[in-house]
Amino acid sequence: ATPERSTVPRVVMHVTAAPADPPVLSLLEAEGFDLVACPDAHALLEEVMHRIPDAVIYALRADCREDLGVLRLMRRAAPDVPLVLLAAEDSLDTRKVTQSLRPIYYAVCPVDGAELRDVMRTAVSRRGRVT
């Protein structure tokens, strides 16, 4: 790790589009993740470009076409950052179009908190962080 990076894993997230279970988020905070909540997609892009995070959590809307454009830009800025996608509803079309984004985890809300925590721990440890 470079000296300017914090030892706390930084996770940028945009979860206002889907009902993210608040206990899931507090579970991640309790695990020692620095959660940066972005109110909109533009703010998420700004955060990612300002300082590459250890992971990104993004909640997809039911019609995720606009989300996909934002996520493709995010991928250009941070091609190797672990991406977790949370879908408002499941569809084969959504799964197909999100594959190109190379998410490390894809789930339909509500999300299992323990499973998400384990996914985040693994993602961060692969990037050289330990929680």
Side-chain angles (χ1 to χ4, degrees):
T2 55
E4 69 270 7
R5 292 188 69 173
S6 165
T7 57
V8 176
R10 185 167 165 270
V11 177
V12 173
M13 51 192 229
H14 175 52
V15 295
T16 57
D21 194 2
V24 169
L25 303 183
S26 49
L27 181 69
L28 291 177
E29 280 182 329
E31 286 293 314
F33 291 100
D34 174 19
L35 300 179
V36 180
C38 299
D40 56 46
H42 179 74
L44 179 125
L45 286 174
E46 287 288 322
E47 275 296 325
V48 169
M49 290 203 248
H50 174 69
R51 196 171 105 212
I52 301 292
D54 292 292
V56 170
I57 299 174
Y58 194 99
L60 297 165
R61 290 173 286 206
D63 175 21
C64 63
R65 295 292 171 200
E66 188 178 318
D67 294 329
L68 293 173
V70 168
L71 289 167
R72 285 186 184 111
L73 287 172
M74 189 275 309
R75 266 288 174 237
R76 276 195 198 152
D80 299 323
V81 168
L83 175 62
V84 170
L85 294 178
L86 308 176
E89 57 188 46
D90 197 18
S91 78
L92 188 56
D93 186 45
T94 301
R95 286 179 183 256
K96 283 166 78 174
V97 296
T98 58
Q99 278 181 342
S100 66
L101 298 167
R102 302 179 332 278
I104 61 162
Y105 182 72
Y106 175 93
V108 179
C109 292
V111 179
D112 179 283
E115 190 173 305
L116 181 60
R117 180 196 61 213
D118 292 346
V119 165
M120 297 307 294
R121 278 185 186 159
T122 301
V124 167
S125 67
R126 285 184 181 156
R127 288 184 63 80
R129 299 290 185 89
V130 180
T131 58

